Amino acid sequence: MHRFIIYFLAFLFVGCSSAKVLNIEKAEGTDFNAYKTFDFYKIEASGDTASQQFAERVEKLEDAIAIKMQNFGYLLSKTNPDLLINIGMTVDEKVQSRQTDFRTDAPRYTGQRRYSWKSEQVKVGSYRQGTVVVEVVDRKLDKMVWSGAVQDIIPAKESRIESTIKNGVQKLFADYPRANK
């Protein structure tokens, strides 16, 4: 029972971890003062990713990015924006495991059959990890001017999705080159 509590707390700690920025790239010589407006590329998805839940989460992600861009002084424009934002997403199923240890996991009584014991990985939980890549593209030049990737655990509770998205976008855009407006 004691081990279960430790693993449960470790799983909660992993589940409550904050977003991790994987990389940021900026095109050299880009004048961010030249840009005034932005919009999003249309996201095309098919198969099991095209669920209602997927569409809602994409909308929340776009809303969070739009707020950041507007805070930087850009205006959302559906007609001929200066910048187009491309969003790529992946979701991976992860397994949390632990290594068995003879001191704590070996059977206390092996009987007369000479059972053997070996160390192995034991599954203790599973979770989903999402990665979002955001590319900001100069629409006229069709050239990426900024890109970044952020990764986080996808919460199991739908009520925590929006705060997770906002936290990830906040961290991702923390070093975005702001225009001098």
Side-chain angles (χ1 to χ4, degrees):
M1 181 67 175
H2 185 274
R3 277 185 280 156
F4 173 77
I5 292 171
I6 290 172
Y7 294 123
F8 178 73
L9 291 175
F11 184 75
L12 279 180
F13 179 75
V14 170
C16 296
S17 67
S18 61
K20 175 182 171 186
V21 175
L22 301 178
N23 70 322
I24 300 289
E25 293 180 35
K26 177 185 165 195
E28 292 296 322
T30 302
D31 179 15
F32 285 87
N33 291 310
Y35 306 116
K36 308 292 183 220
T37 59
F38 75 97
D39 196 12
F40 294 92
Y41 280 102
K42 182 181 174 199
I43 294 182
E44 297 176 11
S46 61
D48 62 350
T49 60
S51 68
Q52 180 65 27
Q53 188 180 47
F54 175 79
E56 290 171 3
R57 290 179 180 183
V58 168
E59 186 177 333
K60 288 177 183 180
L61 183 58
E62 285 182 350
D63 289 346
I65 292 170
I67 289 169
K68 289 305 287 182
M69 294 298 283
Q70 290 167 344
N71 289 342
F72 295 150
Y74 300 106
L75 298 174
L76 180 61
S77 172
K78 298 292 181 184
T79 56
N80 297 324
D82 300 326
L83 298 171
L84 286 171
I85 299 174
N86 186 34
I87 301 172
M89 295 173 276
T90 61
V91 176
D92 296 318
E93 298 290 330
K94 298 287 188 173
V95 174
Q96 187 176 15
S97 64
R98 69 172 181 85
Q99 185 75 30
T100 57
D101 186 308
F102 185 76
R103 294 170 288 175
T104 57
D105 297 319
R108 302 215 187 280
Y109 175 72
T110 57
Q112 297 175 355
R113 296 189 181 162
R114 300 182 188 204
Y115 293 107
S116 65
W117 184 88
K118 63 182 176 183
S119 180
E120 58 187 17
Q121 290 289 326
V122 177
K123 178 182 173 181
V124 293
S126 62
Y127 59 96
R128 294 172 20 147
Q129 181 174 313
T131 304
V132 174
V133 177
V134 176
E135 298 173 332
V136 180
V137 177
D138 182 315
R139 185 186 58 83
K140 290 179 184 170
L141 299 175
D142 195 28
K143 174 186 167 194
M144 186 201 63
V145 294
W146 184 89
S147 123
V150 64
Q151 189 174 68
D152 203 352
I153 305 298
I154 299 172
K157 292 185 178 182
E158 190 64 31
S159 61
R160 294 185 181 173
I161 294 289
E162 192 167 353
S163 64
T164 300
I165 289 171
K166 287 179 180 179
N167 180 45
V169 169
Q170 176 71 29
K171 284 192 173 190
L172 182 62
F173 281 88
D175 293 327
Y176 185 84
R178 291 159 180 84
N180 299 324
K181 305 273 180 194

